[in-house]
Amino acid sequence: MTIENNKVVAFDYTLTLDSGEIADTSDGREPLKFLVGSGQIIPGLENEMIGMAVGDKKVVNVKAEDAYGTKDPAMVQTVPREHIPDGINLVVGEQLQGQSPDGHVVQGEITSVDEQNIQIDFNHPLADKALTFDIEIVEVRDATAEEVDHGHVH
């Protein structure tokens, strides 16, 4: 069985950056499972899996625009220090969690701190980065009607 829309795929992977740094891996964990065509993984990786089958291995190079996109300057916000709750470690590189105007939880990284303001970058940490995935397909199966209806693996 080969990978196509509405199939459930499980794969092992190691994700490296251009620097050679390993950014993520399934090594020592369960393979990553997703429903093809549901937008659960980055498009540049999913597109390269189409037609693969169990046991197939591949190294996939994904350009930033086909991964987490390019950094959006509008996603870098300056917040007055008094709007940050007490007890939060205001150090460059710290991750903060907040809420978007529509109620979604958002993650940001502190990029600068001064006496009055905190600058927080809400772009994905891998935005602007080319990614290399070393993958092996370990399972391909038909998705159930419920999985297709819900848009994710059960």
Side-chain angles (χ1 to χ4, degrees):
M1 179 177 297
T2 61
I3 297 173
E4 59 186 67
N5 275 343
N6 295 326
K7 300 289 185 191
V8 171
V9 175
F11 68 103
D12 283 318
Y13 68 95
T14 298
L15 165 60
T16 54
L17 306 177
D18 283 344
S19 66
E21 172 190 356
I22 295 176
D24 195 11
T25 182
S26 63
D27 191 29
R29 300 185 315 212
E30 291 290 316
L32 183 62
K33 287 186 179 184
F34 75 102
L35 175 63
V36 179
S38 65
Q40 293 178 306
I41 66 170
I42 60 173
L45 178 58
E46 183 176 65
N47 292 340
E48 288 293 321
M49 289 183 173
I50 301 299
M52 294 179 72
V54 171
D56 288 352
K57 296 178 181 182
K58 190 177 203 179
V59 174
V60 179
N61 297 303
V62 182
K63 297 181 288 185
E65 54 269 18
D66 295 327
Y68 293 99
T70 56
K71 286 198 176 211
D72 179 355
M75 297 292 288
V76 179
Q77 298 178 6
T78 300
V79 178
R81 198 177 193 122
E82 68 259 15
H83 290 163
I84 305 292
D86 290 337
I88 297 204
N89 195 15
L90 299 178
V91 177
V92 171
E94 279 293 312
Q95 299 291 316
L96 297 178
Q97 198 171 51
Q99 193 171 12
S100 68
D102 61 1
H104 289 95
V105 173
V106 292
Q107 288 282 117
E109 179 180 334
I110 297 175
T111 56
S112 72
V113 177
D114 65 29
E115 293 300 317
Q116 280 77 38
N117 297 305
I118 312 300
Q119 189 175 61
I120 305 170
D121 184 350
F122 290 101
N123 283 290
H124 191 283
L126 295 177
D128 271 348
K129 296 189 185 316
L131 308 175
T132 299
F133 291 87
D134 188 347
I135 63 171
E136 180 178 359
I137 308 302
V138 296
E139 179 186 4
V140 179
R141 67 169 173 80
D142 290 325
T144 66
E146 184 178 33
E147 288 171 325
V148 172
D149 187 48
H150 291 173
H152 59 85
V153 178
H154 291 164

